[in-house]
Amino acid sequence: MPAFDLPLKELERYRPEPEEPADFDEFWRATLKEAGQRDPVVSVRPVRTGLRLTETWDVTFRGFAGDPVRAWYSLPAGVREPLPAVVEYAGYGRGRGLPHERLTWVNAGYAHLLMDNRGQGDQYGCGGDTPDPHAGAPGGPGPAVRGLLAPQDYHYRRLITDAVRAVAAVRELPGVDGGRVAAVGNSQGGGLALAVAGLVPDLAAALVTAPFLCGIRRALDLTDASPYGEITAYLSVHRGAEQAAHRSLAYMEGISFARRAQAPAHFGVGLRDTVCPPSGAYAAFNRYGELATDKPRKEIHAYPYNGHEGGDAVHVRRQLGWLAEVFGPGRA
């Protein structure tokens, strides 16, 4: 696909003014306070996977409104000392799938929690196991437009809360060094990892690739690809709903979360990405940590001839080296 966003030199300087609701912080403070009133972990059950070098558990934890959220939790077999943990968030339309699908982080020697996406899992992969019992508010059928007309009803309020609670849950699991927890994700998962970085002040690291929900207004003008295309399609039918939709989306804006983040961050972006335009990732990166007292370490890797796949396995190799350096000696 052709390059369609800003040139790289302009992306490196791109710092749009954030369009934040005045009560952004209070909105999330109240949301997370309500979700945090219960202990996070509900159950931890061992599962047989046929893998000899990995041990896996089926975890249920309490997410938004105390709803049960499923996850796979894996450890390197036979390791009993506390390990740094990686909490991974899946992409749009995907669920947690099967426990043997994602082994990179556990094979690198980390405890690994892969969170299911509530109300998703039917578009690709091997399915999900977490329903969304709050999906009846006005909006379209897809997650990107579910409850779009009010921020308190919007799907991503619930999913972001689940992502924050996943960090609380992994810290309660056996085999985890709770002081060293990283949030990791691509696309929708990258947007969730970025939100967690802005909402969890003691997160140890954030690895954010091709993030969704960054520079949302510009993305809606640039691309018709899903998930943004689902929002524009909805608004093309529901004429006059733009103001309500933009208000809801403003509470989910990744640039706002990035400004509040304190953890070291590693970004990746394909400059021909028509799904999550690169200007959104650069806007979040360029403003990342700007409200922190101590400015966090951060770096970004651009792949000029790649789209939404970005650097793929080459980028993962960079992530592995960077995270090992951030966690330091005794990481595994």
Side-chain angles (χ1 to χ4, degrees):
M1 74 289 296
F4 76 108
D5 207 336
L6 299 171
L8 180 58
K9 290 296 184 184
E10 293 184 33
L11 290 172
E12 291 173 342
R13 300 189 300 268
Y14 184 57
R15 295 172 59 86
E17 288 299 317
E19 299 181 20
E20 290 183 7
D23 64 340
F24 180 90
D25 290 313
E26 180 54 35
F27 175 87
W28 283 108
R29 189 178 297 114
T31 296
L32 297 179
K33 180 179 179 181
E34 179 183 355
Q37 292 176 349
R38 304 175 180 90
D39 291 338
V41 177
V42 176
S43 66
V44 183
R45 298 185 298 105
V47 295
R48 292 185 178 182
T49 63
L51 301 176
R52 296 184 178 183
L53 302 181
T54 302
E55 297 177 273
T56 300
W57 291 262
D58 186 347
V59 169
T60 301
F61 68 91
R62 293 183 177 92
F64 175 86
D67 298 336
V69 179
R70 304 288 290 278
W72 296 124
Y73 175 58
S74 298
L75 289 173
V79 177
R80 292 295 174 259
E81 67 269 19
L83 298 175
V86 168
V87 179
E88 184 176 4
Y89 306 107
Y92 187 77
R94 183 175 189 135
R96 66 174 181 166
L98 299 174
H100 59 269
E101 288 187 76
R102 300 200 178 197
L103 299 174
T104 296
W105 296 107
V106 69
N107 278 341
Y110 300 109
H112 179 233
L113 186 79
L114 176 63
M115 186 187 87
D116 204 11
N117 288 324
R118 67 164 60 220
Q120 299 188 33
D122 298 321
Q123 294 189 22
Y124 71 106
C126 291
D129 300 294
T130 303
D132 185 359
H134 309 276
V145 289
R146 202 173 289 157
L148 178 62
L149 301 185
Q152 65 269 25
D153 296 331
Y154 192 31
H155 176 77
Y156 281 97
R157 179 188 180 217
R158 302 188 289 277
L159 195 61
I160 289 170
T161 302
D162 292 346
V164 170
R165 297 299 291 159
V167 173
V170 82
R171 285 173 164 161
E172 299 295 323
L173 296 176
V176 170
D177 177 351
R180 294 190 291 172
V181 177
V184 177
N186 301 330
S187 192
Q188 175 183 264
L192 293 177
L194 188 57
V196 168
L199 293 170
V200 179
D202 59 347
L203 192 73
L207 296 96
V208 177
T209 309
F212 181 45
L213 297 175
C214 288
I216 299 171
R217 287 231 190 182
R218 178 176 170 82
L220 291 174
D221 291 338
L222 284 178
T223 182
D224 286 328
S226 178
Y228 290 114
E230 295 178 31
I231 299 173
T232 56
Y234 178 83
L235 294 177
S236 74
V237 174
H238 298 273
R239 300 166 182 86
E242 297 94 333
Q243 184 174 355
H246 287 311
R247 180 172 181 268
S248 296
L249 291 165
Y251 287 94
M252 317 300 153
E253 173 58 66
I255 299 170
S256 296
F257 291 121
R259 298 178 69 222
R260 292 158 171 79
Q262 301 180 48
H266 187 279
F267 281 68
V269 59
L271 297 188
R272 296 170 186 249
D273 188 346
T274 59
V275 176
C276 295
S279 54
Y282 268 93
F285 175 78
N286 290 335
R287 289 198 170 274
Y288 188 91
E290 69 179 9
L291 298 182
T293 302
D294 297 318
K295 299 301 183 282
R297 165 185 176 179
K298 62 180 182 178
E299 62 184 64
I300 189 168
H301 297 273
Y303 301 91
Y305 295 96
N306 289 97
H308 197 52
E309 80 282 4
D312 206 358
V314 170
H315 188 66
V316 173
R317 181 172 60 191
R318 283 176 161 158
Q319 288 179 317
L320 288 166
W322 181 86
L323 189 59
E325 185 179 335
V326 167
F327 279 150
R331 65 173 183 85

